[in-house]
């Protein structure tokens, strides 16, 4: 079973409160999503392998550690996942970015795929799937399956807010995938929105309705 890591650092909790607040406008919402994503990147990359290299400081030769050439890929689920990309790239500037376009059918809540463009070598990369919301889990399960069908074997999922139901769905369908979340919420409403959640992440990021 994959692990579920809840990133309950005070900075993340503080920023998440204002992300949730309906009075936070799109500009601030975007900035906060970017900042929380950057803070989460710190933990999501904790297990990256290191290697020693020889360097010279101004006063001595020494061995020091650098990341061991791990190839990373970020895969935002369109649209709302886009809001998390810049924060991640701030800390992982060499990562490649693939895009998977999925929207949730408003009647069935099932994901519908409409776009996909991935780095060619995804089977060699550690992929981090980005989406602010994990509600029923349908979109994440489909996106991860899609990446696996294209050859990916090393995948993590990163969400801002997850419902327990979504966590269970992803863990059941993809037990090899570790999930990183900033908050876990109580339940879904009759429209499969997370309660209390933050509303529609895509609409709040992009100012649509
Ligand atoms: C939202 C969200 C997730 C999905 C979560 O996207 O960004 O992708 O719903 O719901 P699920 O876990 O029940 O699948 P949405 O379909 O609203 O598309 P958008 O990002 O284009 O607004
Ligand atoms: N998608 C969202 O944007 N918000 C939710 O609460 C559920 C799905």
């Amino acid at each position: 079973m994959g692990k579920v890591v809840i990133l309950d650092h005070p900075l993340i909790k503080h920023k998440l409160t204002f992300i949730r607040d309906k009075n936070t406008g799109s500009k601030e919402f975007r900035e906060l999503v970017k900042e929380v994503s950057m803070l989460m990147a710190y933990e999501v990359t904790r297990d990256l392998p290191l290697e020693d290299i020889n360097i010279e400081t101004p006063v001595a030769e020494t061995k020091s550690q650098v990341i061991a050439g791990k190839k990373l890929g970020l895969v935002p689920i369109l649209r709302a996942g886009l809001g998390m990309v810049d924060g991640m790239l701030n800390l992982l500037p060499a990562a490649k970015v693939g895009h998977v376009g999925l929207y949730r059918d408003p009647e069935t809540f099932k994901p519908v795929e409409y776009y996909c463009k991935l780095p060619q070598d995804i089977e060699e990369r550690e992929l981090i799937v980005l989406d602010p919301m994990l509600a029923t889990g349908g979109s994440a399960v489909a996106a991860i399956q899609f990446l696996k069908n294209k050859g990916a074997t090393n995948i993590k999922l990163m969400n801002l807010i997850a419902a327990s139901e979504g966590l269970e769905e992803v863990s059941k369908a993809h037990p090899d995938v570790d999930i990183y979340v900033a908050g876990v919420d109580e339940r879904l409403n009759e429209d499969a929105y997370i309660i209390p959640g933050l509303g529609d992440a895509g609409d709040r990021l992009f100012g649509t309705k």
Side-chain angles (χ1 to χ4, degrees), residues 77-80 102-104 131-139 200 202:
I77 301 179
L78 305 180
R79 288 177 302 167
L102 293 173
Y103 71 88
R104 224 170 52 151
D131 195 326
M133 308 306 278
L134 183 66
T136 64
S139 302
D200 188 303

Side-chain angles (χ1 to χ4, degrees), residues 86-106:
D86 282 356
M88 296 293 284
L89 284 176
N90 276 352
L91 289 190
L92 306 167
K96 292 255 163 71
V97 183
H99 296 86
V100 173
L102 293 173
Y103 71 88
R104 224 170 52 151
D105 183 294

Side-chain angles (χ1 to χ4, degrees), residues 83-155:
M84 301 171 76
V85 174
D86 282 356
M88 296 293 284
L89 284 176
N90 276 352
L91 289 190
L92 306 167
K96 292 255 163 71
V97 183
H99 296 86
V100 173
L102 293 173
Y103 71 88
R104 224 170 52 151
D105 183 294
E107 305 291 323
T108 63
F109 312 135
K110 297 277 182 240
V112 182
E113 186 204 319
Y114 62 90
Y115 185 76
C116 179
K117 183 79 179 172
L118 299 169
Q120 271 187 339
D121 55 354
I122 62 162
E123 66 285 345
E124 293 170 28
R125 292 187 178 268
E126 174 171 327
L127 300 180
I128 306 173
V129 175
L130 306 173
D131 195 326
M133 308 306 278
L134 183 66
T136 64
S139 302
V141 167
I144 293 166
Q145 189 56 53
F146 200 74
L147 297 175
K148 287 183 174 175
N149 293 348
K150 301 265 181 189
T153 54
N154 190 345
I155 302 173

Side-chain angles (χ1 to χ4, degrees), residues 11-207:
L11 286 176
I12 293 178
K13 282 186 157 175
H14 176 87
K15 289 177 190 295
L16 197 55
T17 297
F18 295 99
I19 287 175
R20 289 179 185 279
D21 189 334
K22 70 174 186 182
N23 295 314
T24 299
S26 284
K27 177 177 181 289
E28 201 186 342
F29 187 89
R30 270 197 295 273
E31 287 166 2
L32 287 162
V33 169
K34 178 176 168 181
E35 287 167 5
V36 169
S37 303
M38 192 159 63
L39 292 168
M40 292 180 77
Y42 182 80
E43 195 60 36
V44 174
T45 53
R46 181 173 284 286
D47 59 359
L48 285 182
L50 294 168
E51 64 184 359
D52 286 343
I53 61 166
N54 296 314
I55 58 160
E56 283 181 44
T57 75
V59 287
E61 288 186 3
T62 187
K63 277 194 199 315
S64 197
Q65 291 187 309
V66 292
I67 291 167
K70 187 89 182 169
K71 288 178 152 191
L72 294 174
L74 307 176
V75 184
I77 301 179
L78 305 180
R79 288 177 302 167
L82 288 175
M84 301 171 76
V85 174
D86 282 356
M88 296 293 284
L89 284 176
N90 276 352
L91 289 190
L92 306 167
K96 292 255 163 71
V97 183
H99 296 86
V100 173
L102 293 173
Y103 71 88
R104 224 170 52 151
D105 183 294
E107 305 291 323
T108 63
F109 312 135
K110 297 277 182 240
V112 182
E113 186 204 319
Y114 62 90
Y115 185 76
C116 179
K117 183 79 179 172
L118 299 169
Q120 271 187 339
D121 55 354
I122 62 162
E123 66 285 345
E124 293 170 28
R125 292 187 178 268
E126 174 171 327
L127 300 180
I128 306 173
V129 175
L130 306 173
D131 195 326
M133 308 306 278
L134 183 66
T136 64
S139 302
V141 167
I144 293 166
Q145 189 56 53
F146 200 74
L147 297 175
K148 287 183 174 175
N149 293 348
K150 301 265 181 189
T153 54
N154 190 345
I155 302 173
K156 289 175 176 168
L157 173 65
M158 184 172 140
N159 307 111
L160 298 190
I161 301 179
S164 316
E165 190 173 328
L167 290 172
E168 273 170 38
E169 280 305 303
V170 174
S171 301
K172 207 165 60 187
H174 300 294
D176 54 314
V177 171
D178 292 340
I179 310 172
Y180 294 79
V181 295
V184 178
D185 281 9
E186 288 159 28
R187 63 183 179 92
L188 300 177
N189 70 9
E190 60 281 3
D191 296 320
Y193 271 76
I194 299 176
I195 302 296
L198 53 72
D200 188 303
D203 284 346
R204 293 199 61 195
L205 272 170
F206 298 111

